[in-house]
Amino acid sequence: MEMDNIECVSSIEEGGEDIHQHPQFGSSKPLINNLISPATSVYELLECPVCTNSMYPPIHQCHNGHTLCSTCKTRVHNRCPTCRQELGDIRCLALEKVAESLQLPCRYGSLGCPDIFPYYSKLKHEAMCNFRPYNCPYAGSECAIVGDIPSLVTHLRDDHKVDMHTGCTFNHRYVKSNPREVENATWMLTVFNCFGQYFCLHFEAFQLGMAPVYMAFLRFMGDETDARNYCYSLEVGANGRKLIFEGTPRSIRDSHRKVRDSHDGLIIQRNMALFFSGGDRKELKLRVTGRIWKEQHNQEAGLCIPNLCS
């Protein structure tokens, strides 16, 4: 028989021990033996048996006491994945109360995060933690590699074969024999090492409304707060005409598609790009030059002045 809106509450016997009074939480009273065995930690009890992620309210259980998270409850078609009994709608308040009393370190502690959080706010912090790994910034593929900046630089060089460049100025030439065939294309990105940091240069072709355009932009391999310390310029031109873009590099926390779709970079319409290419305007030969500099605050004058690398 299906039971609706049933809440799981702890049954206290033989002295009425409280499930919160565990030595781990600073009390001398033992936790109820039939709730947590000596070989099972409270963290294992809070792990969903289906997805293996930590469970957050509402935590569900079957009539036999097996628990699972609310997301997986919809996946198992109302059948307990452990005993195959019908789940119903039972809420395990006892386990939710245990979770509420926990203080846990950030999962990125091994990467440098020193903070400890209440169980129910830990997940929110980890989604924004400055120490969380970065996604691979390579464009044009759905690369699933994540890691810190040094490991991603090695990955880009060895696995994606990107061009590595040392210095804060660059001069790149993009060539396409039949540019009118290019509607959505991503050129191989280049990684720059300057000021002890890494930057990714992107160049793409796509449709902006009805107009085919090319776009170049720079991303910073680090967090947004650090990216704001740097500026860059991109320049393209020929035949007495010139386009220049100056801006702050976006962090690789933002995907290359997000940056592209925000139009935060140097945008060149195809007709202008072909004009810059010269010749019969049928072949793309576009030269993009640029530089990166670091803003230094002059405390006496109250101004930011550029610090150009040599």
Side-chain angles (χ1 to χ4, degrees), residues 72-86:
C72 290
K73 182 177 183 291
T74 62
R75 298 176 181 173
V76 297
H77 306 294
N78 207 38
R79 289 287 176 183
C80 174
T82 303
C83 66
R84 308 308 299 169
Q85 294 296 312
E86 192 171 356

Side-chain angles (χ1 to χ4, degrees), residues 161-212:
K161 310 301 181 184
V162 305
D163 182 25
M164 297 287 174
H165 180 85
T166 299
C168 300
T169 61
F170 47 90
N171 187 336
H172 277 245
R173 191 163 177 253
Y174 299 96
V175 178
K176 182 67 177 176
S177 58
N178 189 355
R180 298 188 183 279
E181 293 179 351
V182 179
E183 298 299 336
N184 289 282
T186 299
W187 271 256
M188 185 75 73
L189 67 81
T190 302
V191 173
F192 297 93
N193 180 3
C194 64
F195 298 110
Q197 305 290 343
Y198 291 94
F199 302 81
C200 299
L201 176 65
H202 296 267
F203 187 79
E204 300 198 8
F206 62 99
Q207 290 285 134
L208 182 56
M210 298 297 294

Side-chain angles (χ1 to χ4, degrees), residues 18-19 43 55 61 67 74 108 113 133 142-143 159 168 181 193-194 202 209 213 221 225 228 247-248 257 271-272 286:
D18 188 344
I19 62 169
Y43 309 110
M55 294 187 290
Q61 74 166 32
T67 57
T74 62
Y108 304 123
C113 183
E142 298 299 328
C143 182
D159 299 330
C168 300
E181 293 179 351
N193 180 3
C194 64
H202 296 267
V213 299
M221 294 189 69
T225 52
R228 295 182 187 137
T248 300
R257 182 176 294 276
N271 287 338
M272 182 61 73
L286 198 61

Side-chain angles (χ1 to χ4, degrees), residues 5-6 14-15 21 62 67-68 89 96 103 141 145 175 185 192 198 243 246 251 257 273 290:
N5 300 320
I6 299 178
E14 299 181 1
Q21 295 173 332
C62 74
T67 57
L68 77 164
D89 191 17
E96 291 180 10
Q103 295 280 332
S141 70
I145 295 296
V175 178
F192 297 93
Y198 291 94
L243 289 176
E246 288 191 2
S251 165
R257 182 176 294 276

Side-chain angles (χ1 to χ4, degrees), residues 231-235 244-248 264-266 291 293 295:
C231 292
Y232 74 101
S233 66
L234 296 173
E235 180 179 312
I244 299 175
F245 173 84
E246 288 191 2
T248 300
D264 191 1
L266 176 66
R291 65 186 178 95
W293 67 92
E295 295 285 355

